[in-house]
Amino acid sequence: LHGSVRCVAVCADSGEPGFTGTAAAQRRHVVRVGGQAAMELAESAHRGLQELADPDLFDCKAFSVFVKVAFRSLLSAHSDGAVLGDPALGHIDPTILKHCHAAATTCILELVKQNADKSTISTFLEDLKCDGERIDVFYNEFQKNKSNLENILTSIGRCPPHVCDASWRLEYKIKNSHVHKVNQPSYLITLNVEDGGERSEDIQFSCTMEQLQDLVGKMKDAAKSLEKATQM
């Protein structure tokens, strides 16, 4: 692990620094079916699905168009651009569209991974306050595209990338863009990772000293658990 220290006098005030990228820690929402945990979704994804189910934001026609575009975007090279470019959704705030699109695609992939049946999907959507018509629209699209999505998921490597190297840089924010004193240190962490195909890439995130200490503590706990497992 190697690093450097840098002091900055003025930078844009971007709010409270936190983890981003793969190091992000999000609250999880557990979806239960029949009392059993069926899958987990990030809290932000669950909120996006609640917005999608809101008839004041998405009427039945807009919901139907949105769902079809969401499935189609997973099977093509286009993502939320397809949602923003559809004239049938032009009356909806683009920020809401992006949020709902990210939530919907996350949910769809999780349902495919769980091989969810109609009962599971219906219960899940009912909990979001979707009526029968919306549930039928979603389930029909799910059945129509399930096989293709399974093929895509199968083609994706199952081995997560491993860390080859790590570096850090300390930034000390003296003032913000309003020239107010901040005196706030933050760490910029870069992890060089490599996948099974030996393709290398950098993953970067920023964190406060407390967040970095928390991350290091969790990594130490993981290392101890792995050491114990190898001795069993």
Side-chain angles (χ1 to χ4, degrees):
L1 182 67
H2 48 89
S4 61
V5 179
R6 184 162 70 111
C7 188
V8 292
V10 179
C11 67
D13 188 4
S14 57
E16 187 69 23
F19 291 120
T20 58
T22 57
Q26 295 192 43
R27 293 178 57 193
R28 310 295 291 179
H29 183 89
V30 180
V31 179
R32 298 185 179 275
V33 178
Q36 301 295 320
M39 63 180 184
E40 290 187 6
L41 292 175
E43 191 69 28
S44 60
H46 191 259
R47 289 197 302 270
L49 294 174
Q50 289 177 321
E51 290 180 336
L52 179 58
D54 187 347
D56 291 334
L57 293 175
F58 292 85
D59 57 27
C60 288
K61 181 181 178 182
F63 179 88
S64 179
V65 171
F66 182 93
V67 168
K68 291 178 181 179
V69 172
F71 275 97
R72 190 164 65 243
S73 69
L74 286 171
L75 298 171
S76 69
H78 305 287
S79 55
D80 55 9
V83 176
L84 296 176
D86 196 299
L89 303 173
H91 62 289
I92 302 174
D93 188 326
T95 303
I96 293 177
L97 285 176
K98 284 187 175 183
H99 186 204
C100 291
H101 178 265
T105 51
T106 299
C107 170
I108 291 167
L109 293 177
E110 283 296 321
L111 290 171
V112 173
K113 285 163 58 179
Q114 297 291 337
N115 194 26
D117 57 16
K118 187 172 185 178
S119 175
T120 299
I121 293 174
S122 296
T123 302
F124 172 64
L125 295 178
E126 285 171 359
D127 287 344
L128 293 170
K129 311 302 181 185
C130 286
D131 57 25
E133 183 179 352
R134 294 180 184 232
I135 292 173
D136 287 340
V137 167
F138 185 92
Y139 183 72
N140 289 337
E141 287 299 315
F142 181 82
Q143 284 296 97
K144 188 187 304 181
N145 296 282
K146 182 181 178 183
S147 295
N148 290 331
L149 290 173
E150 285 176 336
N151 292 336
I152 291 176
L153 290 176
T154 302
S155 67
I156 298 174
R158 296 180 179 273
C159 296
H162 63 274
V163 177
C164 301
D165 192 16
S167 61
W168 60 270
R169 185 173 75 223
L170 174 61
E171 286 196 342
Y172 198 85
K173 188 189 299 183
I174 299 174
K175 297 178 181 179
N176 60 21
S177 57
H178 302 292
V179 200
H180 296 148
K181 287 187 177 180
V182 176
N183 294 331
Q184 184 181 57
S186 65
Y187 291 89
L188 299 178
I189 310 297
T190 301
L191 301 178
N192 181 257
V193 299
E194 195 174 87
D195 62 17
E198 298 185 355
R199 183 181 58 186
S200 177
E201 66 173 325
D202 288 338
I203 297 175
Q204 296 182 322
F205 60 91
S206 66
C207 58
T208 63
M209 181 174 66
E210 291 78 12
Q211 290 171 324
L212 182 58
Q213 289 174 335
D214 181 57
L215 176 62
V216 171
K218 289 178 179 177
M219 293 298 99
K220 287 181 177 179
D221 290 341
K224 289 179 182 178
S225 297
L226 182 59
E227 185 178 354
K228 290 180 180 179
T230 58
Q231 295 174 351
M232 294 177 62

